[in-house]
Amino acid sequence: MSLSVQKWFCVLVLCIFAHDVVAKTVRRNVLFIMADDLRPTLGCYGDPIVKSPNIDQLASKSNVFHNTYAQQAVCGPSRTSLLTSRRPDTTRLYDFNSYWRVHAGNYTTLPQYFKSKGYTTMSVGKVFHPGIASNHSDDYPYSWSVPPYHPPSFKYENMKVCKGSDGKLHANLLCSVNVSETPLGTLPDMESTEEAIRLLKSTRDSGKNFFLAVGFHKPHIPFRIPQEFLTLYPLDKMSLAPDPDVPKGLPSVAYNPWTDIRKREDVQALNISFPYGPIPKDFQLQIKQHYYASVSYMDSQVGRLLNTLDYLGLAEDTVVVFTSDHGWSLGEHGEWAKYSNFDVATRVPLMFYVAGMTAVRPWPEDETFPYMDLFGSTPHHFTQGGTVSNVNELLDVFPTVSVLAGLKPPLPCPDNSFGVELCTEGHNLAYTFNNDNRKNSEAIACSQYPRPADTPQENSDLPDLKDIRIMGYSLRSWDYRFTVWAGFDPASFQANLSDVHGGELYLLEEDPGQDHNLYNSSEHSLLLCKLGQGHLQPWAQTLKQHLLYLTAGTKSKGMALRFV
């Protein structure tokens, strides 16, 4: 073959290859669904009691991540972290009282990135945390093409709308209602579903790609839900947490005194002692019943939304993401709500559906997402979708969704990224979709939580920035959870990890519930010294690697300071 023919042939091959690459990166729409305070209490995560058939159906056609962790177990900081793909130490948001663009850096958000690529971006319900944390605008117009929608009935959420045993209306924790008797005759998540359906219909024929984020309010408290969902969970079928007592080895700084629960009128009537309680067992069972019923109510709304996506012919061209902002304790360790570094507070569901990648026709149903009736007599059974057991973080959602939708992911952030508008502190998980699921002992998730003092007090769950004196930095690997509660300066945003106020070490193979703390404060320096020696146990080898990684400043800005 002559040289000129060779050149012509090479050019032809490159052109064909380039065309093939472009064809494979056709942009997809995105339906981004986020629940509020949802731990992995779902059938697809192995919960034997919960009824969540619509989310389970989505999971059967998705890649499901079984060990995803939030970066801070409270709404505002977690949502800002997820949507900017930056850690709380980079957004500098640990409470609800600052806007990252002013307080830390002008960081590009997930929807803003899609908007910059020509997508119509829309927000329904609770996506950003409302108020100061999103500039009283849900970050509009930066992140959204149209003003975000908030359901009108939400203004009644914390009012006295719960009928008590005395026949009067109260602001209760437990608040099952007859929807027809509620203000406006509806509930927030019902309104959000209707608005999301309207937007799907209106954008179908627009010719533009869309990014639609739908934030459901449940199972966040109060448990104001349609009363019929309680019938799915008879009280005699509910059980207490397997570890309902405060662990003896738990440092007092780590304890969450669940003050938001205590403020509800029905809980106040129980006259529970502060800070450790406990809540009477019969009321504990009712809380669990209402939480599960709230999950099922939210599942029904997800089912309506997915069925509409399918009915409109959009399921084949849309990436569907389902996740939550953080978990919620149901009595484990004597704790309730979020506000801690335990798995029950930081672990969340995460799944991605992509037609042709995570789900390939044919399947028995004519529809991709037929609506699953939770009150039907026939049990729902689904085949298992793809599963990923390795540890990952909510930070990873931004780059992963970008790739799945056909966009380039943001570049990794440098060590100091306060002046960088677009970058990610997470990782692209799309590469895991077609790989095997072997254990990655190097995978790690970092969470953190602030405290105002060494002992529980009224503002321990959500201290204002100016009151933070201690930061609990927590590492979660396949083998262990290791937490150090260290001194923190809110003026400089600096943690001093030589000023240790407490520590926790749980070896997960023998202690999956994290009830037996092996950390000993008197042996803290000895532990670090031992990690420098040879012949370590596998968990200790992994911990050593992670601490070296962190002190290099590449994973967590706070933990990069004066640790070893």
Side-chain angles (χ1 to χ4, degrees), residues 54-100:
N54 291 287
I55 298 172
D56 296 345
Q57 177 177 239
L58 172 64
S60 73
K61 296 167 183 175
S62 301
N63 259 34
V64 180
F65 290 78
H66 281 258
N67 278 294
T68 301
Y69 296 89
Q71 278 44 79
Q72 187 177 328
V74 70
C75 304
S78 177
R79 288 167 184 264
T80 297
S81 174
L82 184 161
L83 291 165
T84 61
S85 198
R86 313 288 184 107
R87 299 183 184 281
D89 277 346
T90 308
T91 66
R92 292 181 168 174
L93 179 67
Y94 313 107
D95 54 18
F96 298 162
N97 301 322
S98 65
Y99 179 44
W100 77 90

Side-chain angles (χ1 to χ4, degrees), residues 4 20 36 48 116 149 157 183 200 206 246 300 323 382 394-395 398 406 429 440 455 475 501 510 529 542:
S4 60
D20 187 52
D36 200 351
S116 72
Y149 171 86
E157 194 74 353
L200 285 175
S206 68
V246 180
S300 71
T323 191
F382 302 100
L394 282 179
L395 291 171
F398 190 154
L429 302 177
N440 178 8
T455 56
L475 312 183
H501 293 244
E510 57 200 57
C529 181
T542 307

